[in-house]
Short mmCIF file of all heavy atoms in Angstrom, two decimals:
data_model
loop_
_atom_site.label_atom_id
_atom_site.label_comp_id
_atom_site.label_asym_id
_atom_site.label_seq_id
_atom_site.Cartn_x
_atom_site.Cartn_y
_atom_site.Cartn_z
N VAL A 1278 7.23 34.41 -17.69
CA VAL A 1278 8.24 33.44 -17.87
C VAL A 1278 8.96 33.60 -19.19
O VAL A 1278 10.17 33.51 -19.24
CB VAL A 1278 7.60 32.02 -17.74
CG1 VAL A 1278 8.62 30.95 -17.81
CG2 VAL A 1278 6.88 31.96 -16.37
N GLU A 1279 8.21 33.92 -20.21
CA GLU A 1279 8.87 34.12 -21.51
C GLU A 1279 9.82 35.28 -21.45
O GLU A 1279 10.96 35.21 -21.99
CB GLU A 1279 7.79 34.36 -22.57
CG GLU A 1279 7.11 33.04 -23.06
CD GLU A 1279 5.81 33.24 -23.70
OE1 GLU A 1279 5.40 34.42 -24.12
OE2 GLU A 1279 5.04 32.32 -23.81
N ALA A 1281 11.41 36.45 -18.85
CA ALA A 1281 12.58 36.06 -18.00
C ALA A 1281 13.53 35.30 -18.84
O ALA A 1281 14.75 35.52 -18.86
CB ALA A 1281 12.19 35.31 -16.79
N GLU A 1282 13.02 34.32 -19.65
CA GLU A 1282 13.87 33.50 -20.49
C GLU A 1282 14.62 34.30 -21.59
O GLU A 1282 15.81 34.26 -21.72
CB GLU A 1282 13.08 32.39 -21.22
CG GLU A 1282 12.90 31.16 -20.37
CD GLU A 1282 12.19 30.05 -21.21
OE1 GLU A 1282 11.14 30.21 -21.60
OE2 GLU A 1282 12.90 28.97 -21.36
N ALA A 1286 16.83 37.01 -17.32
CA ALA A 1286 16.64 37.65 -16.03
C ALA A 1286 16.93 36.59 -14.92
O ALA A 1286 16.80 35.41 -14.96
CB ALA A 1286 15.17 38.09 -15.89
N ARG A 1287 17.44 37.17 -13.78
CA ARG A 1287 17.75 36.30 -12.56
C ARG A 1287 16.50 36.20 -11.72
O ARG A 1287 16.39 35.23 -10.93
CB ARG A 1287 18.85 36.97 -11.73
CG ARG A 1287 20.03 37.47 -12.62
CD ARG A 1287 21.16 36.48 -12.67
NE ARG A 1287 21.62 35.82 -11.36
CZ ARG A 1287 22.57 36.27 -10.63
NH1 ARG A 1287 23.30 37.31 -10.90
NH2 ARG A 1287 22.91 35.55 -9.48
N ILE A 1289 12.11 37.09 -11.25
CA ILE A 1289 10.75 37.55 -11.59
C ILE A 1289 10.14 38.17 -10.37
O ILE A 1289 9.96 37.47 -9.36
CB ILE A 1289 9.94 36.45 -12.18
CG1 ILE A 1289 10.46 35.85 -13.41
CG2 ILE A 1289 8.44 36.89 -12.39
CD1 ILE A 1289 9.72 34.63 -14.06
N ARG A 1304 0.60 30.46 -10.50
CA ARG A 1304 0.75 29.91 -11.77
C ARG A 1304 2.05 30.28 -12.38
O ARG A 1304 2.66 29.44 -13.12
CB ARG A 1304 -0.38 30.38 -12.69
CG ARG A 1304 -1.78 29.76 -12.39
CD ARG A 1304 -2.78 29.81 -13.49
NE ARG A 1304 -3.34 31.15 -13.60
CZ ARG A 1304 -4.30 31.57 -12.75
NH1 ARG A 1304 -4.76 30.80 -11.79
NH2 ARG A 1304 -4.75 32.80 -12.91
N VAL A 1305 2.56 31.47 -12.09
CA VAL A 1305 3.86 31.82 -12.61
C VAL A 1305 4.96 30.93 -11.97
O VAL A 1305 5.86 30.37 -12.66
CB VAL A 1305 4.24 33.37 -12.30
CG1 VAL A 1305 5.68 33.70 -12.78
CG2 VAL A 1305 3.14 34.22 -13.00
N VAL A 1306 4.80 30.80 -10.64
CA VAL A 1306 5.82 29.95 -9.92
C VAL A 1306 5.80 28.54 -10.51
O VAL A 1306 6.85 27.93 -10.83
CB VAL A 1306 5.52 29.91 -8.43
CG1 VAL A 1306 6.43 28.87 -7.72
CG2 VAL A 1306 5.73 31.28 -7.86
N GLY A 1307 4.60 28.00 -10.85
CA GLY A 1307 4.44 26.62 -11.37
C GLY A 1307 5.12 26.60 -12.78
O GLY A 1307 5.80 25.61 -13.09
N LEU A 1308 4.88 27.69 -13.59
CA LEU A 1308 5.48 27.63 -14.93
C LEU A 1308 7.03 27.61 -14.88
O LEU A 1308 7.60 27.06 -15.75
CB LEU A 1308 5.01 28.87 -15.72
CG LEU A 1308 3.72 28.76 -16.55
CD1 LEU A 1308 3.43 30.07 -17.23
CD2 LEU A 1308 3.89 27.66 -17.55
N VAL A 1309 7.53 28.39 -13.94
CA VAL A 1309 8.99 28.43 -13.80
C VAL A 1309 9.59 27.04 -13.58
O VAL A 1309 10.55 26.64 -14.23
CB VAL A 1309 9.40 29.47 -12.70
CG1 VAL A 1309 10.88 29.27 -12.37
CG2 VAL A 1309 9.12 30.85 -13.05
N ARG A 1310 8.79 26.33 -12.70
CA ARG A 1310 9.24 24.94 -12.41
C ARG A 1310 9.09 24.08 -13.62
O ARG A 1310 10.03 23.33 -14.06
CB ARG A 1310 8.39 24.37 -11.31
CG ARG A 1310 8.60 25.00 -10.03
CD ARG A 1310 9.04 23.97 -8.94
NE ARG A 1310 9.27 24.76 -7.73
CZ ARG A 1310 8.34 25.13 -6.85
NH1 ARG A 1310 7.07 24.75 -7.15
NH2 ARG A 1310 8.66 25.72 -5.83
N GLU A 1311 7.89 24.10 -14.26
CA GLU A 1311 7.58 23.24 -15.46
C GLU A 1311 8.65 23.40 -16.50
O GLU A 1311 8.93 22.48 -17.18
CB GLU A 1311 6.25 23.65 -16.02
CG GLU A 1311 5.08 22.91 -15.39
CD GLU A 1311 3.74 23.57 -15.99
OE1 GLU A 1311 3.68 23.93 -17.13
OE2 GLU A 1311 2.82 23.71 -15.14
N ARG A 1312 9.13 24.65 -16.73
CA ARG A 1312 10.02 24.89 -17.79
C ARG A 1312 11.55 24.67 -17.38
O ARG A 1312 12.43 25.02 -18.11
CB ARG A 1312 9.86 26.27 -18.37
CG ARG A 1312 8.49 26.46 -18.90
CD ARG A 1312 8.32 27.55 -19.88
NE ARG A 1312 6.98 27.71 -20.26
CZ ARG A 1312 6.50 28.67 -21.02
NH1 ARG A 1312 7.29 29.65 -21.40
NH2 ARG A 1312 5.22 28.79 -21.29
N GLY A 1313 11.65 24.13 -16.17
CA GLY A 1313 13.01 23.76 -15.63
C GLY A 1313 13.86 24.97 -15.35
O GLY A 1313 15.11 24.86 -15.44
N LEU A 1314 13.27 26.15 -15.02
CA LEU A 1314 14.05 27.41 -14.87
C LEU A 1314 14.33 27.61 -13.35
O LEU A 1314 14.94 28.65 -13.03
CB LEU A 1314 13.30 28.55 -15.39
CG LEU A 1314 13.04 28.54 -16.94
CD1 LEU A 1314 12.04 29.64 -17.32
CD2 LEU A 1314 14.31 28.65 -17.75
N GLY A 1315 13.79 26.73 -12.49
CA GLY A 1315 13.89 27.01 -11.06
C GLY A 1315 15.31 27.27 -10.50
O GLY A 1315 15.44 27.99 -9.62
N GLY A 1316 16.29 26.70 -11.19
CA GLY A 1316 17.71 26.89 -10.76
C GLY A 1316 18.24 28.24 -11.06
O GLY A 1316 19.07 28.77 -10.36
N SER A 1317 17.72 28.83 -12.22
CA SER A 1317 18.32 30.05 -12.69
C SER A 1317 17.42 31.30 -12.45
O SER A 1317 17.94 32.42 -12.34
CB SER A 1317 18.72 29.96 -14.13
OG SER A 1317 17.58 29.57 -14.92
N VAL A 1318 16.12 31.09 -12.40
CA VAL A 1318 15.25 32.24 -12.27
C VAL A 1318 14.50 32.15 -10.90
O VAL A 1318 13.80 31.20 -10.63
CB VAL A 1318 14.14 32.24 -13.36
CG1 VAL A 1318 13.22 33.49 -13.17
CG2 VAL A 1318 14.83 32.29 -14.75
N ARG A 1319 14.75 33.13 -9.99
CA ARG A 1319 14.08 33.19 -8.75
C ARG A 1319 12.75 33.96 -8.84
O ARG A 1319 12.66 34.84 -9.72
CB ARG A 1319 14.95 33.78 -7.68
CG ARG A 1319 16.34 33.18 -7.63
CD ARG A 1319 16.34 31.94 -6.81
NE ARG A 1319 17.60 31.33 -6.78
CZ ARG A 1319 17.79 30.01 -6.45
NH1 ARG A 1319 16.76 29.28 -6.24
NH2 ARG A 1319 19.04 29.56 -6.50
N THR A 1320 11.85 33.69 -7.89
CA THR A 1320 10.61 34.43 -7.96
C THR A 1320 10.41 35.13 -6.57
O THR A 1320 10.71 34.57 -5.53
CB THR A 1320 9.34 33.51 -8.14
OG1 THR A 1320 9.43 32.43 -7.18
CG2 THR A 1320 9.31 32.98 -9.58
N ASP A 1338 10.22 32.00 -4.12
CA ASP A 1338 11.49 32.00 -3.45
C ASP A 1338 11.51 33.10 -2.35
O ASP A 1338 12.25 32.91 -1.37
CB ASP A 1338 12.64 32.24 -4.40
CG ASP A 1338 12.75 31.14 -5.47
OD1 ASP A 1338 13.01 29.98 -4.92
OD2 ASP A 1338 12.63 31.34 -6.61
#
Side-chain angles (χ1 to χ4, degrees):
V1278 182
E1279 282 160 15
E1282 272 190 298
R1287 313 263 315 264
I1289 295 176
R1304 287 200 285 281
V1305 176
V1306 172
L1308 268 182
V1309 168
R1310 292 237 178 82
E1311 272 171 37
R1312 299 200 184 173
L1314 299 170
S1317 54
V1318 181
R1319 307 280 179 200
T1320 51
D1338 293 301

